[in-house]
């Protein structure tokens, strides 16, 4: 869902009114995710026609149109479907939409106040498995949040139950890449240009102390495809790119000839 939110910020046809954020709140019965990226199915002048098919893609099994969109991270169409591991009927408010998904297939409109919402809100009423797993999930995401934000394209703030992880670096722009630097990290991000529009997204992160580069945090994942991969190379830095991964996006696709 973090990847979906980051993609939604990339798809805005304007600068966001707030610092791009990804927010998680939970209680004993619900998990609530919020962001203010492009709302579901919102199409503006100049935006790709595929944007109007967001909801359809959310309901399809094993399908996504992001593979053909170079700025997007998603590939297999499984991003949103993971919510069904925790909840039976996700409730979604986004743009002009306010609906509950029935049977993972049918979006039923929620009656009542249906004012336009710039914020996308996903409310998951936890099922039995969700209630058992939610603490583990929150703890796991909290552990990687300070690294996750290094590898986002747009999101600059992650909030988890009121605890905030922010990324406010000094930015230096070069012709083909951007340098983002804080007291603790030095990050290089390449970017497409008119001369090289097919350049793949890549992010290289180093740990620093003063003016010296030091070994990256030992507990941090070293390979990322937006989300952390389980591959653990013996390297002293962290790297995120559009790697070919297995279908579950957990490891590199070592058996892929390409």
């Amino acid at each position: 869902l973090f990847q979906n939110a980051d993609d939604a910020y990339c798809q805005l046809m304007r600068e966001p009114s707030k610092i791009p954020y990804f927010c998680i709140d939970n209680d004993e019965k619900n998990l609530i995710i919020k962001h203010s990226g492009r709302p579901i199915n919102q199409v503006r002048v100049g935006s790709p026609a595929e944007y109007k098919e967001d909801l359809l893609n959310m309901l399809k099994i094993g399908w996504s149109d992001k593979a053909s969109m170079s700025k997007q991270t998603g590939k297999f169409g499984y991003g949103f479907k993971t919510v069904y591991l925790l909840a039976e009927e996700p409730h979604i408010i986004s743009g002009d939409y306010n609906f509950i998904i029935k049977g993972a297939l049918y979006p039923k409109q929620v009656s009542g106040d249906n004012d336009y919402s710039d914020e996308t809100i996903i409310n998951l009423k936890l099922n039995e498995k969700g209630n058992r797993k939610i603490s583990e999930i929150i703890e796991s995401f909290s552990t990687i949040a300070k690294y996750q934000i290094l590898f986002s394209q747009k999101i600059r703030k992650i909030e988890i139950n009121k605890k905030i992880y922010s990324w406010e670096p000094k930015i230096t722009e070069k012709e083909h890449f951007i340098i983002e630097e804080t007291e603790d990290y030095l990050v290089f991000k390449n970017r497409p240009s008119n001369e090289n529009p097919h350049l793949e997204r890549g992010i290289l992160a180093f740990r620093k102390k003063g003016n010296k580069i030091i070994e990256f945090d030992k507990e941090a994942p070293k390979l990322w495809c937006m989300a952390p991969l389980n591959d653990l190379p013996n390297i002293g830095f962290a790297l995120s790119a559009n790697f070919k991964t297995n279908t579950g996006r957990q490891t590199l696709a070592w058996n892929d000839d390409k």
Side-chain angles (χ1 to χ4, degrees):
L1 294 180
F2 182 90
Q3 296 170 35
N4 290 350
D6 200 45
D7 286 343
Y9 281 109
C10 291
Q11 296 164 356
L12 281 173
M13 302 296 288
R14 55 174 174 76
E15 287 298 313
S17 57
K18 301 178 181 179
I19 293 175
Y21 65 89
F22 180 78
C23 177
I24 297 176
D25 281 308
N26 78 286
D27 55 31
E28 294 180 355
K29 296 182 179 180
N30 299 278
L31 176 65
I32 301 172
I33 297 100
K34 300 177 183 179
H35 68 80
S36 58
R38 183 181 65 84
I40 292 172
N41 277 26
Q42 183 189 78
V43 177
R44 295 183 181 274
V45 175
S47 61
E50 291 90 346
Y51 288 2
K52 66 182 179 182
E53 298 181 353
D54 292 336
L55 180 55
L56 180 62
N57 290 332
M58 289 166 64
L59 301 174
K60 288 179 179 179
I61 303 299
W63 169 260
S64 172
D65 60 17
K66 291 184 182 179
S68 61
M69 300 167 69
S70 62
K71 292 186 179 180
Q72 315 315 320
T73 307
K75 180 178 180 182
F76 298 105
Y78 294 151
F80 179 77
K81 281 79 170 180
T82 57
V83 302
Y84 298 113
L85 298 173
L86 304 177
E88 309 298 334
E89 298 181 347
H91 179 191
I92 301 170
I93 299 172
S94 182
D96 294 314
Y97 292 87
N98 184 350
F99 60 93
I100 293 174
I101 300 180
K102 297 280 189 178
L105 186 62
Y106 173 66
K108 181 179 179 181
Q109 183 174 339
V110 174
S111 59
D113 185 6
N114 289 328
D115 291 339
Y116 183 88
S117 174
D118 278 324
E119 190 172 50
T120 293
I121 304 171
I122 302 173
N123 190 345
L124 305 179
K125 186 175 181 180
L126 300 172
N127 56 24
E128 183 179 346
K129 183 177 181 180
N131 277 311
R132 291 198 312 269
K133 289 284 188 179
I134 191 61
S135 295
E136 178 185 336
I137 291 170
I138 293 294
E139 181 180 356
S140 177
F141 189 64
S142 298
T143 299
I144 67 166
K146 69 176 182 178
Y147 307 117
Q148 179 77 74
I149 204 167
L150 300 181
F151 299 115
S152 70
Q153 298 183 78
K154 294 291 185 179
I155 291 175
R156 289 293 180 263
K157 183 173 77 171
I158 298 175
E159 182 175 332
I160 306 174
N161 289 330
K162 310 304 180 185
K163 183 172 183 179
I164 294 175
Y165 303 84
S166 61
W167 177 242
E168 301 178 46
K170 172 187 175 183
I171 299 175
T172 304
E173 297 193 12
K174 302 292 186 179
E175 184 177 1
H176 298 299
F177 62 94
I178 297 172
I179 302 172
E180 297 184 354
E181 185 175 6
T182 64
E183 183 178 338
D184 298 314
Y185 295 99
L186 179 63
V187 178
F188 296 85
K189 298 182 177 182
N190 65 4
R191 59 181 182 180
S193 64
N194 292 332
E195 294 77 23
N196 197 359
H198 302 295
L199 182 68
E200 289 284 350
R201 185 176 65 88
I203 301 173
L204 187 61
F206 296 93
R207 189 80 159 83
K208 61 189 284 278
K209 186 175 182 180
N211 294 322
K212 294 183 178 181
I213 298 298
I214 61 176
E215 185 177 7
F216 208 82
D217 304 358
K218 291 185 181 298
E219 72 275 12
K222 302 304 190 298
L223 285 184
W224 296 67
C225 185
M226 176 59 78
L229 302 177
N230 291 336
D231 303 273
L232 297 172
N234 185 24
I235 55 178
F237 54 88
L239 173 66
S240 178
N242 289 333
F243 293 115
K244 287 187 177 294
T245 65
N246 65 0
T247 304
R249 296 178 66 92
Q250 296 175 324
T251 66
L252 295 175
W254 293 105
N255 59 345
D256 192 301
D257 291 339
K258 296 181 181 180

